[in-house]
Amino acid sequence: MILAAVLAWQVGLAAGVPLLTRRFGRDAGYPLAAGYLIAAGLLLTSLPVILDDREVAVAWRWLPALEVTAALRMDALGLTFALLALGVGALIMAYCPRYLSGDSAEHERVYVTMTLFAAAMLGLVLAGDLLVLLVFWELTSIGSFVLIGQGGRPAATRSAVQALLVTVAGGLALLAAFVLLAVYLGTTSLDTIVAEPERLTGGPALAVGTLVIIAAFTKSAQLPFHFWLPGAMVAITPVSAYLHAATMVKAGIYLLMRFSAVFAGAWAWDVTLMAVGLLTAILGALLALRQYDLKALLAYSTVSQLGLLVGVIGVGTPAADAAAILYTLAHALFKATLFMLVGIIDHQAGSRDMRQLSGLHRVMPVTVWLTALAAMSLAGLPPTIGFVGKEAIFESLGEARGVWWLGWLAAGLGVLASVLTFAYAARLVHGMMEGPTRQRQLHEPSWAFLAPAAVAAVTATALGPTVAVLNPLVQRAADDARPQGTPPYLAFWHGLTPALGLSVLTVLLGTLMFLSRVRVDRWLRALPTTPPFAELLERGRQGLLGAGAVVARPAHAPGPAPYLARPLLAVVVLAVAAAAAPGVAAPLGGDLGRPGDWLLLCLLVPALTGMLVARSALAAIGLTGVVGLLLSAWFLTIGAPDVALTLMLVEVLTAVVVMLALRQQPSRLTTVGRRWPVAGAALLAVATGAAAAAGAAVLTGRAQLSGPGRWYLDQAEESTGGANVVNTILVDFRALDTVGEAVVLAVVALGLVRLAGRQVEPAGKKPTGDDVVLGFAYRMLAPVMLVASAVLFLRGHEEIGGGFIGALLAGTAVGLGQLAHPGGPPLLRRLRAAPLAAVGLLAAMAAGLVPVAAGRAPFAPLALGTPGPVPSLSTSLLFDLGVYLMVLALVVAAVRRLGVPTAGRAAPAAGGAG
């Protein structure tokens, strides 16, 4: 349960951010950093188990029919990436308080989204099932979109959308890969798939491998998807440091390493990763050399370093996996350091342009020397961990299997990328060291600001000579990634080896390139730029939006007539097509109806006729209600009392809401000026009625009780403890569907709350007086309606009723109160839509999670017996309570929105009076 506890802890931290920011303001980052470290400590308690070649796992039944479980598992590879997310996350949280400024809402937004993103990353690397991995994979894409686009600036929004499109496209590829795996192998268990790679062969293996590579490349910014990452640098520095050093971009690396065991030895897999990865490493380094903006330089540097990691994973040996894992740790440390220090420089100097930062070491020596220390690790210089990692990469690339020259080529491309890396790292430091000091007024920031970057820089340096302490974890992680073979022992000094020679060659050539930087700059400027992938993506997006606008143009009609005409016309067309089709059955013989049906029909016809000729708004509303009540009575006579009750309450509530909406409108309905539209509408109405009647005549008596219907009737009470089959379907069997629908209601309610917050009472306009008759009716009926509402809610699992019906009745009481007291009825003043919606949603989700804690599937019914006539306390009742509150929240929000006239609606009256 430790994995579930850590994940829940991280989500709990995010939930507690509002309280922390209210208490500590922007300093809430410090307790959050402590929370991250606590989560890391909890995971480390399982380290002895993991090093003993065992894994920590927990699972719950999710979709039993499909044999899908909500499984979490942690081996050494998962632990490594989890510690990366939490450790670097703690440093970033400790960095944020001194970086952030502005109002508390901004602090809260940043802390909440980053903490939830950390939880999503944890779920991704600890997932034990393909569907669980996919869910968290998509959550990281959504989280990055929110983080990059924070602030609402056009540039940030554009970059956020671009990142979302690319990564979500990769998510779709991953979804397709997982569907193929589930269909072909018959399981979604990650353990089973990784442990039995021989089961995946032939065409499915090629398709799955291609789709997984596409997903990883989109996430880790590999060619041709690399362009989104530099664009994402518009985000604030803490976001860039976290997403692009330790989490978001490392998700693709994790995915490739996790599936290395499945595609071990596959030539197409290995060559694709090596070719694309090393080409991305070289291209990213070349683009980094062309940058003067420090953050842009680091962005392209990240693209390059990720390419190097992808290339070495493609070598496909245990040594290569160990090198990739070690360099992943190294990259997270030195890149997080550099991002944080660039943020400090930008914060202090107001510029990230290297040309404006000459001589910076004279006024900010600690910042510059820490930057130099991190740049040494980036360049692969001793004694840093970057040196050890780079040397391990050179050795692994030289051992690439296949044709005899592949190792030489891979090692040569790796050296070329590293030479370019050394050159831009030296250029970065040189820009701050040399030249006159342009901003002499600058000074070092506080140690609280520098400390997180200093910790990361010193750790990256100290882990070089002491890299042996990482050996047990790195070797175990490499073995988890690819069980075939034994990973090598990592050490700071291996003697005089070819890899050491390549490191020396890298330093010499990199130094030569740096010393020739003027000539190199001219040569780089003369090189053609890469294809404008970002522009191509934007053009494609705009083209799709334009096509969508053309398709949707008919739906933008100013009046309701076109929207009503299309479905009615479709009914007529379907009826004509069915009549023309061969083999259409004739209507069954027998009585056309019962005497009661003819009576209701005789009442419906004059009511509908009256609606057509009515010119009074009040009369039209009343007749609409009469039609609804007659239909309710009809449902009641044919044995559907639950439908009848629901329809009746909807009709009453609709009448109340329409009355509220029309209070500011003329009492007389306007007439339609032209006759032809009226004649066309009448003809369409008659044709639709005839088609519906013919369909009813043909189909009546033919439908038999379906298999699922019979199963529900037989099993509902035994499985759920409820005798009301309709209610058990809604709150037990299809609870997840109901949650989705209820969430829509909650979102609409919150939108109405937002609109109501913008309402302005017109100047000099006071609410009209209370209605005496309606006020008396409200005082007499409201208590009865509320009691009846509670009874319907409590009995819903056993008899007719339920949360939806009960909320409709309570909402009717709220609406009636608003009609009786335009200034605001007492009941409405006590109810707030936002808290109702929030509590309702929490109650519904709790009803789904409580069974999980008891070891059962989500939303499985659990009941606690109670004595006497008291309804049993059950998850079904809790879920129904959530539905009740969310439906009531929507009604309260709508009534509050309609209850007070807006300035826009009152303006005509004011103008007319003047």
Side-chain angles (χ1 to χ4, degrees):
M1 292 296 290
I2 189 70
L3 304 182
V6 169
L7 204 55
W9 170 261
Q10 200 66 26
V11 175
L13 281 179
V17 164
L19 296 176
L20 291 174
T21 52
R22 194 172 298 126
R23 173 65 178 85
F24 299 104
R26 63 177 183 171
D27 289 342
Y30 296 126
L32 286 173
Y36 279 55
L37 293 177
I38 291 172
L42 289 173
L43 292 180
L44 282 172
T45 59
S46 302
L47 183 61
V49 175
I50 288 173
L51 294 181
D52 194 33
D53 197 15
R54 291 177 290 164
E55 67 177 28
V56 180
V58 63
W60 300 273
R61 297 175 64 194
W62 185 6
L63 302 173
L66 300 178
E67 297 183 1
V68 175
T69 58
L72 299 175
R73 62 187 287 276
M74 184 173 70
D75 55 9
L77 183 63
L79 176 61
T80 301
F81 279 86
L83 292 177
L84 204 64
L86 292 171
V88 175
L91 293 174
I92 300 300
M93 287 294 110
Y95 172 82
C96 281
R98 302 280 70 82
Y99 180 90
L100 294 176
S101 59
D103 58 10
S104 58
E106 179 188 355
H107 310 151
E108 182 177 317
R109 187 166 55 247
V110 170
Y111 286 137
V112 167
T113 49
M114 289 187 68
T115 305
L116 287 175
F117 185 90
M121 188 66 190
L122 279 179
L124 192 157
V125 301
L126 299 178
D129 188 274
L130 296 182
L131 289 184
V132 177
L133 193 156
L134 180 66
V135 167
F136 285 111
W137 180 277
E138 292 300 276
L139 287 177
T140 59
S141 296
I142 296 170
S144 67
F145 166 75
V146 175
L147 286 167
I148 295 168
Q150 279 183 350
R153 292 173 292 127
T157 302
R158 185 167 56 251
S159 296
V161 170
Q162 190 177 91
L164 183 68
L165 290 175
V166 173
T167 55
V168 167
L172 292 175
L174 193 62
L175 171 62
F178 288 175
V179 169
L180 286 175
L181 283 171
V183 171
Y184 191 73
L185 302 180
T187 181
T188 59
S189 170
L190 199 55
D191 274 338
T192 304
I193 293 170
V194 171
E196 302 173 1
E198 66 278 358
R199 295 175 59 193
L200 188 65
T201 57
L206 180 61
V208 170
T210 301
L211 292 168
V212 168
I213 285 175
I214 291 173
F217 282 5
T218 58
K219 206 74 150 185
S220 292
Q222 299 298 286
L223 280 172
F225 310 108
H226 64 287
F227 57 87
W228 73 261
L229 196 151
M233 289 300 126
V234 296
I236 61 175
T237 298
V239 169
S240 300
Y242 194 44
L243 265 64
H244 306 134
T247 52
M248 173 76 168
V249 296
K250 293 299 195 300
I253 301 299
Y254 170 80
L255 186 71
L256 293 175
M257 299 199 72
R258 182 57 75 193
F259 278 86
S260 291
V262 179
F263 299 102
W267 173 256
W269 172 274
D270 293 342
V271 170
T272 301
L273 294 189
M274 279 194 292
V276 176
L278 293 174
L279 287 176
T280 303
I282 294 170
L283 174 65
L286 281 171
L287 293 173
L289 265 176
R290 298 174 60 149
Q291 308 304 315
Y292 289 104
D293 184 289
L294 292 176
K295 208 170 178 185
L297 184 149
L298 294 181
Y300 285 108
S301 167
T302 301
V303 171
S304 175
Q305 299 300 294
L306 292 170
L308 197 60
L309 285 170
V310 170
V312 76
I313 292 171
V315 173
T317 62
D321 290 334
I325 292 168
L326 180 64
Y327 200 69
T328 297
L329 294 171
H331 178 260
L333 287 172
F334 67 67
K335 192 55 62 72
T337 303
L338 288 171
F339 269 118
M340 286 189 282
L341 292 171
V342 166
I344 289 174
I345 293 170
D346 188 20
H347 194 274
Q348 297 294 106
S351 174
R352 300 194 303 256
D353 192 327
M354 283 189 288
R355 293 166 294 190
Q356 304 297 322
L357 300 173
S358 62
L360 192 64
H361 71 290
R362 298 186 184 93
V363 290
M364 297 176 65
V366 177
T367 301
V368 173
W369 283 109
L370 287 174
T371 303
L373 205 58
M376 287 174 60
S377 191
L378 170 64
L381 291 175
T384 65
I385 190 176
F387 165 74
V388 183
K390 196 70 69 75
E391 194 170 279
I393 286 177
F394 289 154
E395 183 176 354
S396 300
L397 289 174
E399 296 175 353
R401 298 168 298 186
V403 294
W404 64 270
W405 47 264
L406 185 59
W408 289 93
L409 177 62
L413 293 176
V415 168
L416 176 57
S418 299
V419 167
L420 296 171
T421 300
F422 184 97
Y424 67 68
R427 187 164 172 257
L428 185 155
V429 177
H430 177 267
M432 302 179 190
M433 291 283 195
E434 291 299 315
T437 304
R438 293 180 177 269
Q439 301 188 56
R440 296 187 177 275
Q441 79 281 3
L442 297 181
H443 56 82
E444 289 286 6
S446 66
W447 274 106
F449 205 177
L450 278 170
V455 169
V458 171
T459 303
T461 305
L463 281 177
T466 61
V467 70
V469 302
L470 297 177
N471 256 307
L473 181 61
V474 171
Q475 287 181 321
R476 184 76 263 146
D479 190 57
D480 289 334
R482 197 184 308 265
Q484 306 87 356
T486 303
Y489 184 83
L490 298 171
F492 181 69
W493 176 255
H494 285 287
L496 299 177
T497 61
L500 179 62
L502 292 178
S503 294
V504 173
L505 179 62
T506 297
V507 173
L508 293 176
L509 293 178
T511 304
L512 180 62
M513 177 170 279
F514 169 70
L515 295 176
S516 307
R517 57 188 176 278
V518 176
R519 185 179 305 170
V520 170
D521 280 350
R522 284 200 301 265
W523 175 71
L524 287 173
R525 299 299 166 192
L527 282 178
T529 58
T530 57
F533 295 106
E535 293 182 14
L536 293 176
L537 177 69
E538 183 61 22
R539 289 177 186 173
R541 188 175 77 90
Q542 293 297 333
L544 284 175
L545 291 176
V550 172
V551 172
R553 191 172 296 156
H556 292 170
Y563 301 102
L564 296 173
R566 291 184 195 113
L568 296 180
L569 188 61
V571 171
V572 175
V573 171
L574 287 174
V576 171
V584 178
L588 295 176
D591 295 335
L592 295 178
R594 301 165 301 164
D597 296 340
W598 287 105
L599 175 61
L600 287 171
L601 183 61
C602 292
L603 294 174
L604 275 173
V605 171
L608 291 169
T609 305
M611 286 176 57
L612 292 175
V613 300
R615 290 294 173 261
S616 167
L618 183 61
I621 295 171
L623 288 171
T624 303
V626 168
V627 170
L629 293 176
L630 289 173
L631 290 176
S632 300
W634 206 334
F635 280 117
L636 187 62
T637 62
I638 61 176
D642 49 349
V643 179
L645 181 58
T646 303
L647 180 58
M648 182 182 69
L649 290 173
V650 167
E651 289 295 337
V652 173
L653 184 58
T654 300
V656 171
V657 171
V658 171
M659 287 293 293
L660 287 171
L662 295 181
R663 282 194 311 176
Q664 305 299 319
Q665 302 298 325
S667 59
R668 302 290 294 176
L669 298 177
T670 57
T671 57
V672 179
R674 292 176 296 173
R675 294 184 177 181
W676 286 111
V678 175
L683 180 62
L684 180 58
V686 171
T688 304
V698 171
L699 298 175
T700 297
R702 298 183 185 277
Q704 302 297 321
L705 184 62
S706 65
R710 172 57 59 191
W711 185 90
Y712 280 129
L713 290 173
D714 294 339
Q715 301 294 326
E717 188 167 5
E718 180 181 347
S719 301
T720 67
N724 184 352
V725 178
V726 174
N727 185 265
T728 59
I729 292 174
L730 291 175
V731 303
D732 293 308
F733 295 112
R734 297 186 59 189
L736 198 58
D737 289 345
T738 306
V739 165
E741 295 162 358
V743 167
V744 172
L745 297 180
V747 170
V748 173
L750 294 176
L752 289 173
V753 169
R754 180 71 174 172
L755 287 173
R758 297 179 179 177
Q759 286 181 322
V760 179
E761 185 74 34
K765 178 83 171 178
K766 295 183 179 180
T768 57
D770 294 349
D771 188 291
V772 177
V773 176
L774 288 177
F776 176 77
Y778 172 69
R779 287 192 298 273
M780 296 297 295
L781 295 178
V784 177
M785 296 168 75
L786 293 177
V787 171
S789 169
V791 171
L792 287 170
F793 160 67
L794 291 173
R795 61 178 266 176
H797 214 47
E798 300 295 333
E799 301 179 63
I800 296 172
F804 183 74
I805 293 176
L808 289 178
L809 187 54
T812 302
V814 171
L816 180 60
Q818 181 63 48
L819 282 175
H821 304 281
L827 180 61
L828 186 59
R829 286 198 295 266
R830 293 186 178 93
L831 295 175
R832 292 290 182 270
L836 286 172
V839 174
L841 183 58
L842 289 174
M845 297 309 298
L849 295 176
V850 167
V852 174
R856 302 185 64 181
F859 295 103
L862 290 177
L864 179 63
T866 54
V870 180
S872 62
L873 301 178
S874 64
T875 54
S876 302
L877 186 67
L878 180 61
F879 184 85
D880 225 4
L881 175 62
V883 173
Y884 183 100
L885 293 176
M886 283 186 274
V887 173
L888 183 59
L890 176 60
V891 176
V892 169
V895 169
R896 192 180 298 277
R897 175 72 178 88
L898 296 170
V900 179
T902 61
R905 277 197 312 226

